[in-house]
Amino acid sequence: LGRLYMVAPGPDRDYAKAFEWLSKAAAQGDVGAQSNLGMLYLRGLGRPRDFVKAAGWFGAAAMAGNAYAQTNLGLMYASGRVLPRDSVVGYALLILSSIALEPHGDVEGKTMRDREAVAGGMTPAQIGESEALAFQIQRDGMLRALKNRGSALPESMMDPSWVPPPPAPPATVSPAAVDLTYQATHLARFPRKA
């Protein structure tokens, strides 16, 4: 439902509602919703722009193999936006995403252009290192491969059990209508009173 609000034509497009529904789905582990929520944060749609939260959501979705999130996280690494600039990691993620997105012609063209742009600033040795890292990520998983390399990680990747807090409810929502899913999963922070 959140994605539909994101891409609806004309007056039916509602980024605030998209954010609301994607947040609920992402908190329940929906990888596509996590990637889309990262995009909303990256572009500042439905909420103020927040590159740190974008990287966190892209990291969570990329760890689960979402190719779009791998592309966006790879570009964040390659550009040095929020994360320390690391073209080797960025290019490795772009390699992985292009494998999954190759059958989709329009997406493939953009992914190939992104890879070429990142590779243009790299040495052949760095490209070889990226290819080896892409293999390691496929073999060992993203978290282990990047930790072993000593790469900086988005918050969601540092702690696989991390669940970001839900967005603050709009002022028009009464406290009784607030979803308590986050509180229910974090009992240490929100102990039940007897």
Side-chain angles (χ1 to χ4, degrees):
L1 187 57
R3 175 88 175 124
L4 292 175
Y5 279 118
M6 256 178 90
V7 299
D12 293 329
R13 183 172 295 166
D14 187 335
Y15 292 118
K17 284 185 180 178
F19 187 90
E20 175 187 345
W21 287 103
L22 289 170
S23 294
K24 290 177 183 184
Q28 294 178 10
D30 183 296
V31 177
Q34 291 171 344
S35 180
N36 284 320
L37 195 57
M39 185 57 67
L40 290 177
Y41 274 118
L42 182 69
R43 293 186 178 165
L45 303 171
R47 285 292 187 269
R49 182 176 281 192
D50 188 329
F51 295 129
V52 173
K53 288 182 181 177
W57 284 114
F58 288 144
M63 279 196 316
N66 183 284
Y68 297 104
Q70 290 171 340
T71 297
N72 289 310
L73 187 62
L75 292 172
M76 291 181 92
Y77 271 110
S79 68
R81 184 177 282 172
V82 173
L83 301 164
R85 177 177 242 144
D86 191 335
S87 296
V88 171
V89 172
Y91 193 71
L93 291 171
L94 291 172
I95 290 170
L96 292 174
S97 69
S98 67
I99 293 168
L101 297 175
E102 212 165 88
H104 308 289
D106 59 327
V107 176
E108 177 190 6
K110 182 185 178 323
T111 304
M112 294 304 292
R113 287 189 303 275
D114 290 340
R115 281 180 60 189
E116 290 169 2
V118 172
M122 298 173 68
T123 66
Q126 288 174 315
I127 292 173
E129 189 179 346
S130 288
E131 291 167 349
L133 180 59
F135 175 76
Q136 287 176 323
I137 291 171
Q138 283 185 313
R139 185 188 67 209
D140 302 334
M142 183 182 294
L143 183 63
R144 180 180 293 168
L146 296 184
K147 276 187 173 182
N148 288 344
R149 188 174 183 280
S151 298
L153 302 170
E155 183 177 356
S156 63
M157 293 174 67
M158 289 185 270
D159 178 9
S161 65
W162 175 75
V163 177
T172 58
V173 175
S174 69
V178 174
D179 180 17
L180 299 178
T181 305
Y182 181 77
Q183 288 86 348
T185 58
H186 292 81
L187 293 176
R189 291 187 190 166
F190 302 96
R192 296 181 191 263
K193 295 181 181 174

